[in-house]
Amino acid sequence: MKAAQLHKVGKIETRPLQVEEVELPVPRRGQILVKIEAAGICRSNLHMVEGEWVHMGVPAKYPIIPGHEIAGRVAEVGEGVTSVKKDDKIGVSPLWTSCGSCEYCLTGREQLCWKRDITGETVDGGFAQYILANDGHIYPLPAELDPVDAAPLFCPGVTAYGAIKKVPLGPGKKLAVFGVGGVGHMAIKYGKLYGSDVYAVTRSDLHLALSEELGATPVDAKKDPVAQLNRLGGVDASIVFAPSSDVAMQAVRATKRDGTIVLGAWGGVPDFPFYDEKKVVGTLMGSRQVMREVISLAVSHKMLPVTETHPLDEVNKAMQELKKGEVKARAVLKPWG
Ligand SMILES: [Zn+2]
Ligand SMILES: [Zn+2]
């Protein structure tokens, strides 16, 4: 099969991913071979490829195929798999597998499992024509969902929805989303769905325009966003997807007393005003049940990502565009052209 492999971390401009022929994986007991129809390109793929996560042991192996938001069809099932059959539409998320028996797995928080595997970081991922998946960690996809729309649900969708579920929402509630990309634009959509007033904070003209298209009030980050939001009396909650301590502190300052700040990216809060009783919480993806809700909302309320597509051969080009901030919301690879 054709796959984009990382042999050595490095700057994306020097084309570190090699698109090449690799051996077709064979599903073992409890595994499923998935023919990939669409795979989203995530900023975290870029962080791994450029070597920013080596200190965390990512990637865990070489060569590795990156990519963790995947939609496709069952090509072959391994021994003991009865949940799906050949040609069923399914998706694969970043949570490739979890142990099933730790305190997190037993309480519906398996994304926090210490023995988890992460798709495209510890095991081969989706920038390929096929991937192996685990029986307990696949998601049936409704027939009406296009694979290109479905793939980004597995990272931006579940990450944004997981963050949204941690904040107060509803009519009259103000929500600020800091960082409008693949994840941020989905957070805007969910915030609107629940009736909140959504403010989208970004430096990029492309993303300010996208925010407005999605029904958010654009807030230009180049023009003192904290002052702009505080003029409205502050927001009830902020969600931060921009990896920056400056942005995290902006979110803290723009959020009302007793409000909630959700961090979905690296960021420090060095001057945290404890006396305002604000809450800072982290967020990482969501559980399998949360993932199911995301798929359900995609169908029932058209909670679909904004996408653009590329063939697999253009993976390095597409990742460079992501790095330069030229991707409107989500770039998706179509490994079969
Ligand atoms: Zn991702
Ligand atoms: Zn576990």
Side-chain angles (χ1 to χ4, degrees), residues 227-242:
Q228 290 185 64
L229 292 168
N230 280 332
R231 240 174 268 136
L232 309 163
V235 293
D236 298 282
S238 293
I239 300 180
V240 183
F241 294 119

Side-chain angles (χ1 to χ4, degrees), residues 38-335:
I41 302 177
C42 183
R43 186 160 284 273
S44 59
N45 303 143
L46 194 57
H47 292 308
M48 178 185 83
V49 166
E50 296 208 315
E52 290 167 33
W53 288 357
V54 169
H55 67 283
M56 298 190 293
V58 174
K61 72 177 192 86
Y62 286 115
I64 190 162
I65 303 169
H68 59 217
E69 40 195 86
I70 299 150
R73 285 181 187 274
V74 175
E76 196 184 331
V77 296
E79 211 185 316
V81 175
T82 55
S83 61
V84 287
K85 57 183 189 318
K86 193 171 162 29
D87 287 334
D88 281 359
K89 280 180 82 164
I90 61 168
V92 182
S93 86
L95 190 63
W96 193 78
T97 189
S98 53
C99 80
S101 56
C102 72
E103 65 177 292
Y104 300 106
C105 286
L106 291 176
T107 51
R109 299 173 292 164
E110 62 271 22
Q111 74 274 21
L112 301 177
C113 174
W114 281 103
K115 290 181 189 164
R116 68 190 178 199
D117 265 308
I118 299 292
T119 316
E121 293 179 8
T122 66
V123 294
D124 280 331
F127 294 177
Q129 291 180 315
Y130 292 91
I131 184 176
L132 283 181
N134 265 292
D135 195 11
H137 285 268
I138 51 152
Y139 304 85
L141 290 172
E144 61 263 50
L145 213 48
D146 184 280
V148 172
D149 289 337
L153 298 177
F154 291 95
C155 181
V158 71
T159 302
Y161 192 64
I164 276 282
K165 285 177 82 95
K166 294 182 168 72
V167 304
L169 296 164
K173 295 286 185 212
K174 294 191 181 77
L175 168 68
V177 176
F178 288 77
V180 179
V183 186
H185 93 285
M186 289 303 287
I188 293 171
K189 293 188 99 168
Y190 292 129
K192 294 288 296 176
L193 177 71
Y194 286 100
S196 293
D197 295 328
V198 183
Y199 299 85
V201 187
T202 171
R203 307 181 70 82
S204 146
D205 290 339
L206 179 67
H207 294 152
L208 286 167
L210 171 67
S211 307
E212 203 163 8
E213 271 171 46
L214 298 175
T217 303
V219 177
D220 189 343
K222 299 188 291 299
K223 297 175 184 162
D224 197 349
V226 177
Q228 290 185 64
L229 292 168
N230 280 332
R231 240 174 268 136
L232 309 163
V235 293
D236 298 282
S238 293
I239 300 180
V240 183
F241 294 119
S244 151
S245 295
D246 287 343
V247 176
M249 272 314 299
Q250 286 175 357
V252 169
R253 292 194 188 102
T255 303
K256 290 181 193 171
R257 288 182 172 172
D258 197 26
T260 305
I261 300 97
V262 179
L263 299 183
W266 288 104
V269 281
D271 299 312
F272 185 67
F274 68 92
Y275 44 80
D276 281 342
E277 296 195 7
K278 297 176 188 181
K279 293 170 283 292
V280 178
V281 295
T283 192
L284 178 78
M285 305 183 283
S287 66
R288 283 171 287 184
Q289 180 55 33
V290 170
M291 189 63 239
R292 286 184 189 141
E293 290 174 31
V294 166
I295 294 168
S296 175
L297 283 172
V299 177
S300 63
H301 289 77
K302 291 271 172 286
M303 289 288 109
L304 300 172
V306 173
T307 58
E308 55 201 67
T309 61
H310 293 271
L312 185 59
D313 292 327
E314 287 181 9
V315 61
N316 287 302
K317 177 175 173 275
M319 289 182 80
Q320 282 180 49
E321 288 172 5
L322 176 64
K323 188 174 176 178
K324 286 185 282 186
E326 293 169 359
V327 177
K328 189 175 179 185
R330 197 44 136 211
V332 176
L333 296 171
K334 291 182 80 174

Side-chain angles (χ1 to χ4, degrees), residues 9-60:
V9 294
K11 292 292 168 200
I12 195 69
E13 293 80 6
T14 52
R15 304 176 67 82
L17 292 183
Q18 304 286 329
V19 179
E20 55 202 355
E21 282 295 320
V22 302
E23 214 169 307
L24 186 67
V26 178
R28 288 193 269 180
R29 189 175 177 79
Q31 292 184 340
I32 295 152
L33 183 69
V34 185
K35 182 177 178 181
I36 300 173
E37 292 174 320
I41 302 177
C42 183
R43 186 160 284 273
S44 59
N45 303 143
L46 194 57
H47 292 308
M48 178 185 83
V49 166
E50 296 208 315
E52 290 167 33
W53 288 357
V54 169
H55 67 283
M56 298 190 293
V58 174

